[in-house]
Amino acid sequence: MKTYSDYIQEIEERKSQGLHPKPIDGAELLSEIIAQIKDIDNENREDSLKFFIYNVVPGTTPAANLKAKFLKEIVLGQSVVVEITPAFALELLSHMKGGTSIAVLLDLALGDDIAIAKDAAEVLKTQVFLYEADTDRLAAAFKNGNEIAADILESYAKAEFFTKLPEIAEEIKVVTFIAGEGDISTDLLSPGNQAHSRSDRELHGKCMITPQAQDEIKALQTQHPDKSVMLIAEKGTMGVGSSRMSGVNNVALWTGKQASPYVPFVNFAPIVAGTNGISPIFLTTVDVTGGIGLDLKNWVKKLDENGNPIRNESGDPILEEAYSVATGTVLTINIKEKKLYNGDKELIDISKAFTPQKMEFIKAGGSYAIVFGKKLQTFAAKTLGIEAPLVYAPSKEISHEGQGLTAVEKIFNKNAVGTTPGKVLHAGSDVRVEVNIVGSQDTTGLMTAQELESMAATIISPIVDGAYQSGCHTASVWDKKAQTNIPKLMKFMNDFGLITARDPKGVYHAMTDVIHKVLNDITVDEWSIIIGGDSHTRMSKGVAFGADSGTVALALATGEASMPIPESVKVTFKGEMKPYMDFRDVVHATQSQMLKQFGGENVFQGKIIEVHLGTLTADQAFTFTDWTAEMKAKASICISEDDTLIESLEISKSRIQIMIDKGMDNHIHVLKGLVAIADKRIAEIKSGEKPALTPDANAKYYAEVVVDLDQITEPMIADPDVNNADVSKRYTHDTIRPLSFYGGVKTVDLGFIGSCMVHKGDMKILAQMLKNIEEQNGKVEFKAPLVVAPPTYNIVDELKAEGDWAVLQKYSGFEFDDNNPKGEARTEYEKMLYLERPGCNLCMGNQEKASKGDTVMATSTRLFQGRVVEDKEGKKGESLLSSTPVVVLSTVLGRTPTLDEYIAAVKGINLTKFAPPHKLLAK
């Protein structure tokens, strides 16, 4: 019984950390526990019973499979356990929510013992996580005249698994807790540097916000036992940056309700809020758990007598408090009236949080149950030969006669499922869509695997064209945590049907390419919908949505996603780019000019940015679409000219072929299929049968932004503004400053070139700058460390073939070695060039980090506090974001360059150029 004794030892170790026993997912341990339960005289029997009843992970885990089979023995009387009656065994099966438990319930319901069959059928009527193997059995039994099967199908057709759930309370009392002032990133709720523990929910919960905040939440719960604690982003948006199911799980763990008494550390129904609402992808994650997200609007612009905003010295609107939500304030969410109250005083209308669809999520305890329930109802009605009664809120279909379609509206109309035939849908419609490409990343992948197990999925949906499991977020350091977690993840996903960065069999070389870059390459049709487990899942082909691990799991299992069609903001360009500017400066200037054009209002927030780049290939255009996550947009679409799109698709084909040549294709030949899709799309464009996607000329937009390239006269830097007196203005990505602001005197302690924001051209710019500096100065000497992490191995290989990698090697003091990867994160840096392994590196913040208190100049995307660099006593860490040439020059000088120094340094270098499209990209 060594496995059991090891488990007991682990329990003792966890006690010292204030943790309960870890939930059981392995068959070997549960097998020992069952043996001890059967042994009446065993000294461990009482504890074993508790572990079996209360501490087994449900779904399709090996432990869940074993538990379900043992419960079947008890129901049938083949095993007798005094403490677990047949009725209790059925109740336990009802909480296992899919997988073998459904197979067991079907065995019992379709068996010969009528009494048992009827009892099992009553349990089955409450279940929704059925797959084809399960529904095929039911259909076959019904056709053979089985009355129990008919009874179950009739219940499913009426959707009694939903209609018989308790109704939502008309009022919910909440007590407020200010989690932070300003935008709250998911890093605060689930820090990237604790990613290794996300699948251990109780342990990971210890990292939410701070221990002090956790104590305050507990104190509020003690003082207000009849109320829910509502976490608030005061003067900010809740959940920016990433979708992070782990962040929502943590909030639910501390403030939500337990989903089942027999399933440990799985809570639901968290309540979160923000002065500026909830980040769109975070709100989707809240929906997964049946939670509530409120847009408080408790700080409003102060107006003068003419109704115009009053501004401060910096030109920002002055805000005044409309009502207080200070920690400890008791409020009432009136769901019937869809309003927020303080006592009898009405504060704000909150109807957007309680649409018919969201009300269903809340009632069902999460969106998964609704997705599977609708599918199950449709199946049952079809099998019975009847029309499914209207139970769920009908899909919201908005259509405006004579109005054209934006690019995203066109894509949604093409991919919509279950909508009124022939009806053209516009923004605001709520639809189910087929998903073409899915991406799972490695620090949330273990949770995605857990979600797949919990919804009893065993194989990828045949609807999905391609799916990829990355290894980029754990690329930098192959430590014990990564060695434990990542191979297990890769095997699960490879077996499930994904292309995986690492081969569980060890045949092909491990690839740690940045997930967004790989998804950008395997997206071979600009009409695609992409779902990825990271907020930067924003392709320059198709429309991509960053999503939580659960939504990724749902897309993998069903090939579908549900969401409203978002409104779009159209971005076009005029003027001419200065020869010494880089396209990254255009990206930053877009945000800056947009804020100026709209008086400080971010019109991108929650919208699709339809950017008319036209002339940039997908590699280069990705710099813009990637940054739209920092613009707080829901997603982005790149409108390309025909020839540019063909060039992008050819690049994708070549890179997919390299993956095939490496042996990465799987048994269903996903990669080969993607090449065929690309060939078909290229042929359609060349023949004129189906040109590159463009919006209609009479499409309607939420706003239109025109970026004037003539105004961009010097490099632009996104500054975290760490010392702004207004805390809510820090770390927002909205402070965009020209290089001259720093006067050539701001110290730079470390430079970073890497992450998803750079492409092959950036690496070539770096190589050329180093050659130029040596030619001008006789040598290259770094006054600050420069860390370089190419985004993909393909790029490294291409640089080697073209001679640029040799240049980088010449000036580097460290080069990654896949045969001997680093086992520990670097904490100190010498003043030299580091050539790091392809992957996220510093941008992720979960492995490598700058020294505390450093000022970092980076090509990265993240300004969040503590992400790239943490504070130290007396000095705040700050990460300024800029173009590759600015980063290079800053590390050579050890400070920000002047504009003259910059122009001299980039002379003759082929920077990432951009010119507006040759023609209007609309028809």
Side-chain angles (χ1 to χ4, degrees):
M1 297 295 178
K2 185 176 186 309
T3 307
Y4 182 80
S5 61
D6 288 347
Y7 185 56
I8 297 302
Q9 183 179 340
E10 181 190 66
I11 289 173
E12 291 303 313
E13 291 169 357
R14 287 173 73 88
K15 277 182 184 176
S16 65
Q17 303 173 60
L19 299 170
H20 294 86
K22 193 172 182 180
I24 298 165
D25 59 7
E28 188 177 351
L29 172 58
L30 195 66
S31 180
E32 290 185 20
I33 285 171
I34 290 172
Q36 290 173 168
I37 291 171
K38 289 180 176 180
D39 180 1
I40 301 298
D41 299 321
N42 192 288
E43 63 179 344
N44 299 316
R45 186 173 183 277
E46 186 177 347
D47 284 341
S48 294
L49 272 166
K50 290 177 183 174
F51 293 144
F52 179 82
I53 294 170
Y54 298 105
N55 212 44
V56 176
V57 177
T60 57
T61 64
N65 296 339
L66 202 56
K67 180 174 180 176
K69 290 172 183 175
F70 185 47
L71 290 171
K72 179 183 177 184
E73 291 178 19
I74 293 172
V75 173
L76 292 173
Q78 297 167 351
S79 290
V80 177
V81 178
V82 176
E83 296 86 351
I84 305 176
T85 64
F88 186 32
L90 284 169
E91 182 183 350
L92 290 174
L93 282 166
S94 76
H95 287 261
M96 295 184 70
K97 303 296 182 188
T100 305
S101 66
I102 298 295
V104 163
L105 287 167
L106 282 168
D107 289 344
L108 298 171
L110 303 178
D112 296 329
D113 189 312
I114 297 301
I116 290 175
K118 287 182 177 179
D119 289 341
E122 290 307 307
V123 175
L124 265 174
K125 290 175 184 178
T126 67
Q127 306 296 297
V128 293
F129 292 113
L130 277 71
Y131 287 85
E132 279 73 12
D134 307 313
T135 53
D136 286 349
R137 285 186 67 187
L138 266 179
F142 169 71
K143 287 171 185 174
N144 288 329
N146 187 296
E147 293 181 6
I148 297 289
D151 183 44
I152 294 168
L153 286 169
E154 286 167 8
S155 176
Y156 285 165
K158 297 173 187 172
E160 290 182 338
F161 42 71
F162 175 71
T163 61
K164 290 190 174 183
L165 292 171
E167 293 301 320
I168 304 168
E170 290 187 0
E171 287 187 347
I172 298 175
K173 297 282 188 183
V174 297
V175 57
T176 61
F177 176 75
I178 304 298
E181 191 171 349
D183 288 350
I184 290 181
S185 81
T186 49
D187 249 20
L188 185 72
L189 308 175
S190 170
N193 61 9
Q194 298 299 312
H196 63 277
S197 67
R198 284 179 184 155
S199 57
D200 184 348
R201 293 193 179 196
E202 186 190 20
L203 173 59
H204 194 67
K206 298 285 186 182
C207 71
M208 188 184 84
I209 313 178
T210 63
Q212 180 186 359
Q214 294 164 19
D215 289 341
E216 290 178 32
I217 290 170
K218 279 195 249 179
L220 286 170
Q221 290 167 332
T222 302
Q223 294 166 27
H224 303 274
D226 59 333
K227 301 174 184 68
S228 296
V229 176
M230 179 168 73
L231 260 60
I232 296 174
E234 177 77 314
K235 293 186 181 178
T237 304
M238 172 67 79
V240 300
S242 300
S243 44
R244 295 244 175 121
M245 189 80 213
S246 52
V248 175
N249 284 344
N250 280 349
V251 177
L253 196 64
W254 284 101
T255 67
K257 305 171 187 175
Q258 188 175 8
S260 164
Y262 310 115
V263 180
F265 313 119
V266 176
N267 284 18
F268 74 114
I271 303 175
V272 293
T275 292
N276 298 328
I278 317 294
S279 170
I281 52 177
F282 193 71
L283 189 55
T284 301
T285 316
V286 172
D287 289 341
V288 168
T289 58
I292 297 171
L294 300 183
D295 186 356
L296 296 175
K297 299 177 183 173
N298 58 310
W299 286 87
V300 296
K301 293 175 183 177
K302 192 172 183 178
L303 305 177
D304 61 20
E305 62 275 9
N306 298 317
N308 298 316
I310 301 172
R311 300 181 181 276
N312 59 20
E313 294 176 358
S314 303
D316 297 320
I318 295 174
L319 302 179
E320 58 183 357
E321 192 176 48
Y323 61 93
S324 175
V325 292
T327 293
T329 303
V330 174
L331 302 172
T332 301
I333 297 172
N334 190 310
I335 294 177
K336 184 178 180 181
E337 297 179 12
K338 297 180 174 53
K339 291 178 179 177
L340 185 66
Y341 285 88
N342 186 334
D344 295 330
K345 183 182 178 183
E346 180 184 324
L347 300 177
I348 192 170
D349 181 278
I350 49 175
S351 55
K352 284 187 178 179
F354 299 105
T355 63
Q357 288 75 22
K358 288 183 182 291
M359 292 286 279
E360 290 175 345
F361 298 159
I362 294 168
K363 179 177 177 176
S367 56
Y368 296 168
I370 299 299
V371 173
F372 277 84
K374 288 179 178 179
K375 186 177 179 183
L376 190 56
Q377 184 194 23
T378 302
F379 149 76
K382 184 177 179 182
T383 304
L384 292 171
I386 63 174
E387 189 170 332
L390 185 60
V391 171
Y392 296 103
S395 293
K396 189 177 179 183
E397 297 186 348
I398 295 175
S399 185
H400 302 290
E401 182 108 16
Q403 181 178 307
L405 296 173
T406 64
V408 74
E409 287 169 340
K410 285 189 174 183
I411 292 176
F412 269 67
N413 274 277
K414 175 185 178 291
N415 292 281
V417 177
T419 55
T420 302
K423 191 169 187 178
V424 175
L425 303 179
H426 288 95
S429 300
D430 206 299
V431 294
R432 284 162 52 212
V433 289
E434 290 188 356
V435 175
N436 307 96
I437 303 291
V438 185
S440 169
Q441 56 105 321
D442 38 328
T443 52
T444 60
L446 288 166
M447 291 179 60
T448 300
Q450 281 186 341
E451 298 287 346
L452 288 167
E453 288 175 331
S454 71
M455 62 178 72
T458 57
I459 190 168
I460 191 169
S461 168
I463 295 173
V464 176
D465 291 334
Y468 175 70
Q469 170 61 59
S470 80
C472 55
H473 290 72
T474 51
S476 305
V477 184
W478 193 236
D479 57 14
K480 289 182 179 178
K481 294 168 186 172
Q483 290 169 34
T484 300
N485 291 332
I486 302 306
K488 181 169 66 173
L489 171 64
M490 295 295 167
K491 183 178 188 315
F492 180 94
M493 291 301 190
N494 201 280
D495 290 345
F496 198 83
L498 280 74
I499 303 299
T500 52
R502 291 178 179 274
D503 183 3
K505 300 182 182 67
V507 175
Y508 60 80
H509 186 273
M511 184 175 81
T512 58
D513 293 2
V514 175
I515 179 173
H516 332 301
K517 291 292 192 182
V518 178
L519 294 182
N520 205 40
D521 283 340
I522 69 173
T523 300
V524 288
D525 186 340
E526 84 280 21
W527 290 80
S528 296
I529 291 179
I530 305 103
I531 297 287
D534 192 288
S535 62
H536 286 97
T537 307
R538 288 154 189 268
M539 307 302 98
S540 44
K541 301 187 292 289
V543 62
F545 298 93
D548 58 90
S549 55
T551 302
V552 170
L554 200 62
L556 288 170
T558 67
E560 292 185 7
S562 297
M563 68 186 88
I565 303 178
E567 292 181 291
S568 295
V569 175
K570 183 178 181 181
V571 176
T572 56
F573 303 85
K574 68 177 183 178
E576 187 175 349
M577 214 175 145
K578 302 290 184 288
Y580 55 83
M581 301 301 291
D582 185 82
F583 181 61
R584 175 72 183 249
D585 302 311
V586 175
V587 174
H588 286 179
T590 298
Q591 190 158 351
S592 179
Q593 291 190 23
M594 175 274 295
L595 290 169
K596 287 177 183 175
Q597 286 176 36
F598 291 91
E601 178 192 354
N602 184 355
V603 296
F604 291 153
Q605 184 162 348
K607 307 296 187 292
I608 301 290
I609 298 179
E610 184 184 284
V611 55
H612 291 233
L613 289 172
T615 59
L616 282 180
T617 62
D619 271 14
Q620 299 166 321
F622 189 80
T623 304
F624 191 105
T625 56
D626 198 32
W627 183 259
T628 60
E630 270 50 68
M631 295 172 178
K632 297 185 184 175
K634 187 172 181 66
S636 60
I637 289 182
C638 179
I639 306 300
S640 291
E641 295 182 352
D642 287 355
D643 291 345
T644 305
L645 180 57
I646 290 171
E647 185 181 352
S648 294
L649 293 174
E650 292 289 1
I651 293 170
S652 285
K653 273 180 57 184
S654 67
R655 289 179 176 165
I656 294 170
Q657 188 60 51
I658 290 169
M659 294 169 73
I660 294 172
D661 295 343
K662 287 180 177 179
M664 294 182 70
D665 212 351
N666 59 15
H667 66 285
I668 53 177
H669 303 297
V670 165
L671 296 176
K672 185 178 178 182
L674 290 172
V675 172
I677 293 170
D679 282 334
K680 179 176 181 291
R681 187 70 193 102
I682 290 169
E684 289 173 341
I685 300 168
K686 285 183 175 179
S687 68
E689 176 189 345
K690 190 178 178 182
L693 170 67
T694 57
D696 290 331
N698 60 337
K700 184 179 179 182
Y701 295 90
Y702 176 79
E704 296 192 32
V705 176
V706 180
V707 180
D708 188 351
L709 299 176
D710 290 332
Q711 289 184 22
I712 311 171
T713 58
E714 55 181 306
M716 307 296 286
I717 294 175
D719 193 318
D721 206 7
V722 297
N723 296 310
N724 193 310
D726 184 348
V727 177
S728 70
K729 300 292 186 187
R730 300 175 189 170
Y731 309 103
T732 66
H733 291 88
D734 285 345
T735 302
I736 309 291
R737 289 171 167 154
L739 182 65
S740 57
F741 174 87
Y742 304 94
V745 297
K746 186 175 179 66
T747 299
V748 173
D749 300 299
L750 184 140
F752 172 56
I753 296 174
S755 86
C756 46
M757 285 294 286
V758 296
H759 54 87
K760 176 183 168 184
D762 289 278
M763 298 294 122
K764 296 180 80 69
I765 289 168
L766 166 61
Q768 187 59 52
M769 285 191 74
L770 294 175
K771 287 195 289 187
N772 285 6
I773 291 167
E774 182 179 49
E775 190 176 316
Q776 292 164 9
N777 303 334
K779 61 178 180 177
V780 175
E781 185 176 352
F782 291 96
K783 293 187 179 175
L786 176 57
V787 178
V788 176
T792 68
Y793 280 92
N794 277 343
I795 286 174
V796 173
D797 291 342
E798 289 167 19
L799 292 170
K800 285 179 178 178
E802 294 164 18
D804 297 283
W805 192 256
V807 176
L808 301 183
Q809 286 175 313
K810 174 183 176 181
Y811 299 111
S812 69
F814 170 86
E815 183 178 359
F816 73 91
D817 180 359
D818 278 335
N819 296 317
N820 185 29
K822 285 184 295 184
E824 292 183 11
R826 183 176 282 114
T827 55
E828 299 291 335
Y829 297 84
E830 297 178 43
K831 293 177 180 178
M832 64 182 194
L833 171 64
Y834 293 83
L835 287 179
E836 296 287 359
R837 198 178 201 180
C840 302
N841 203 276
L842 284 163
C843 185
M844 183 54 197
N846 65 322
Q847 293 188 327
E848 306 281 53
K849 255 187 169 33
S851 298
K852 289 184 179 181
D854 272 2
T855 292
V856 180
M857 187 71 76
T859 61
S860 182
T861 56
R862 298 307 202 192
L863 291 179
F864 305 148
Q865 187 172 13
R867 170 59 80 91
V868 172
V869 56
E870 295 176 358
D871 298 341
K872 72 176 181 182
E873 192 173 345
K875 189 177 186 301
K876 291 182 178 293
E878 53 184 336
S879 177
L880 285 73
L881 309 182
S882 65
S883 66
T884 291
V886 170
V887 175
V888 177
L889 200 53
S890 296
T891 56
V892 170
L893 299 172
R895 58 172 172 78
T896 53
T898 65
L899 181 58
D900 288 342
E901 287 171 328
Y902 168 84
I903 292 174
V906 299
K907 190 174 182 180
I909 293 178
N910 184 25
L911 302 175
T912 308
K913 293 290 189 293
F914 168 67
H918 301 108
K919 60 182 180 180
L920 184 67
L921 296 179
K923 62 179 182 180

